[in-house]
Amino acid sequence: IMSVENEREFFLSGELTFNSVGLVDKNYQFIFQDNAPVIFNLAGIEKSDSSALVLLIKWLRQAKQMNKLIYF
């Protein structure tokens, strides 16, 4: 689950696993509509698997292509 802390900072909580990463990715593609920096706070993640890492790497690649800063 993600919540917005402010316009460019997002707090992830709960599980980030195979069952949830697709929906998280789909719901938060809007962050790549501009090249403003964005911060993902991962402190609330209680359970993750390798698909979470795949998602973070995907977002890093997207950000790099846009010359966008992304922080975890």
Side-chain angles (χ1 to χ4, degrees):
I1 295 178
M2 293 180 77
S3 63
V4 178
E5 290 188 356
N6 64 50
E7 189 174 295
R8 292 289 166 191
E9 187 170 350
F10 303 91
F11 180 78
L12 285 77
S13 63
E15 294 187 7
L16 192 56
T17 62
F18 179 79
N19 294 326
S20 63
V21 293
L23 184 60
V24 171
D25 186 32
K26 180 180 176 183
N27 287 341
Y28 288 88
Q29 280 299 304
F30 72 89
I31 65 169
F32 296 103
Q33 291 179 352
D34 61 33
N35 64 350
V38 67
I39 299 168
F40 288 97
N41 182 336
L42 306 176
I45 298 296
E46 297 170 3
K47 180 179 179 183
S48 64
D49 60 20
S50 60
S51 58
L53 182 58
V54 170
L55 175 64
L56 299 180
I57 291 169
K58 177 186 177 195
W59 283 352
L60 284 170
R61 286 183 179 157
Q62 283 181 275
K64 184 176 180 180
Q65 290 173 347
M66 297 180 65
N67 203 24
K68 177 185 186 80
L69 294 175
I70 189 170
Y71 302 96
F72 301 103

